[in-house]
Amino acid sequence: MKRISGVALVLAIILALTITGCEDDSQSTEATGFELVIEECLSFGVYVYVDGEFQDFASTDEPHFFPLPAGTYDVWAYGNATIGNQYACWSNQVTVRDTDVVRLTLFCSEENICTD
């Protein structure tokens, strides 16, 4: 009988934690940063730097979110795919406001070709 009541107590605690949850979504903060979208490219990876510091590795296949506080940032990115000594690269500036997600769209075009 003690074993059954112990199991019932553990199940009641787990059920209570599941129902109440660990986080209240109504008090969550809104995202701030920029979403990087790269269009008109073949599939490859992109190294992304913000104000000269490496942030993350993104893909040309899907958008990538970069959380940043409000401010103006210099964004530099380059692809990991090369053709000879040429590769895709971009330099841009993005301004982020509080609780705002800015969409930064980069295009693969001749103007965005760098060489070693």
Side-chain angles (χ1 to χ4, degrees), residues 1-15:
M1 192 63 152
K2 288 182 182 182
R3 185 180 301 168
I4 293 174
S5 63
V7 170
L9 178 62
V10 169
L11 289 175
I13 291 171
I14 292 172
L15 181 62

Side-chain angles (χ1 to χ4, degrees), residues 21-82:
C22 297
E23 184 178 323
D24 184 6
D25 290 336
S26 65
Q27 296 178 355
S28 65
T29 59
E30 292 186 40
T32 300
F34 73 93
E35 181 179 56
L36 179 66
V37 177
I38 303 170
E39 295 186 353
E40 301 175 7
C41 290
L42 297 173
S43 295
F44 58 87
V46 177
Y47 298 96
V48 180
Y49 290 77
V50 175
D51 287 343
E53 293 186 27
F54 176 73
Q55 295 298 308
D56 207 352
F57 190 72
S59 171
T60 58
D61 293 333
E62 58 189 41
H64 191 91
F65 177 69
F66 291 87
L68 292 169
T72 299
Y73 301 94
D74 291 319
V75 177
W76 185 71
Y78 69 95
N80 68 346
T82 61

Side-chain angles (χ1 to χ4, degrees), residues 30-32 68-71 96-101:
E30 292 186 40
T32 300
L68 292 169
V96 177
R97 294 184 233 358
D98 278 333
T99 66
D100 193 17
V101 175

